[in-house]
């Protein structure tokens, strides 16, 4: 069992930065792939970024490429999502998720409770 807790959400102006954190506890988190997902009101949940347990590869959805960066510190059992040049359309609840096998796709085994990100002036 892996427990995930997101933090770092909030209200930010368009063009501003925000860094989300996903802290894990439980089993060996360093062996898990981690994904960041988001869900805006009235929209389906989408994967935003993902990182393999080995950090050998990352994934970004096209709409965030060049603006978002996913990284992990396995010594701290934490994965980060650095979000720059935020746009109003980035407004959503952001979730982190972990899985031993899955990398891209939505069927991750473990999920956090989510953190709200609102981009507005």
């Amino acid at each position: 069992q892996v427990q995930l807790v997101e933090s770092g959400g909030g209200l930010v102006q368009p063009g501003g930065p925000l860094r989300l954190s996903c802290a894990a506890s439980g089993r060996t988190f360093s062996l898990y792939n981690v994904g960041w997902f988001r869900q805006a009101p009235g929209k389906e949940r989408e994967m935003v970024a993902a990182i393999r347990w080995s950090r050998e590869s990352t994934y970004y959805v096209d709409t965030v490429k060049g603006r978002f960066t996913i990284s992990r510190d396995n010594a701290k059992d934490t994965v980060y999502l650095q979000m720059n040049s935020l746009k109003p359309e980035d407004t959503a609840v952001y979730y982190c998720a972990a899985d031993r096998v899955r990398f891209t796709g939505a069927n991750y085994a473990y999920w956090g409770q989510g953190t709200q990100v609102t981009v507005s002036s």
Side-chain angles (χ1 to χ4, degrees):
Q1 192 80 359
V2 174
Q3 293 80 41
L4 303 172
V5 178
E6 303 95 337
S7 61
L11 174 64
V12 62
Q13 292 188 343
L18 206 59
R19 188 176 81 158
L20 304 182
S21 298
C22 173
S25 61
R27 294 189 176 182
T28 309
F29 186 60
S30 60
L31 298 180
Y32 285 75
N33 300 328
V34 175
W36 280 99
F37 297 77
R38 67 185 179 187
Q39 187 166 21
K43 294 187 177 181
E44 293 188 355
R45 184 173 59 194
E46 67 169 345
M47 171 173 269
V48 175
I51 186 167
R52 288 197 184 275
W53 66 272
S54 62
R55 289 174 285 190
E56 68 181 22
S57 58
T58 56
Y59 163 84
Y60 297 95
V61 69
D62 286 346
T63 52
V64 308
K65 283 181 181 177
R67 300 189 298 122
F68 291 11
T69 303
I70 189 171
S71 62
R72 67 189 300 162
D73 184 340
N74 286 338
K76 295 183 178 179
D77 286 344
T78 302
V79 173
Y80 305 98
L81 185 67
Q82 177 67 46
M83 305 185 293
N84 297 327
S85 303
L86 282 162
K87 304 175 181 180
E89 51 263 43
D90 294 317
T91 296
V93 178
Y94 284 70
Y95 302 87
C96 68
D99 197 280
R100 284 292 307 273
V101 176
R102 290 176 176 81
F103 180 48
T104 57
N107 296 324
Y108 274 55
Y110 303 104
W111 291 82
Q113 83 289 347
T115 186
Q116 176 71 47
V117 172
T118 303
V119 184
S120 175
S121 55

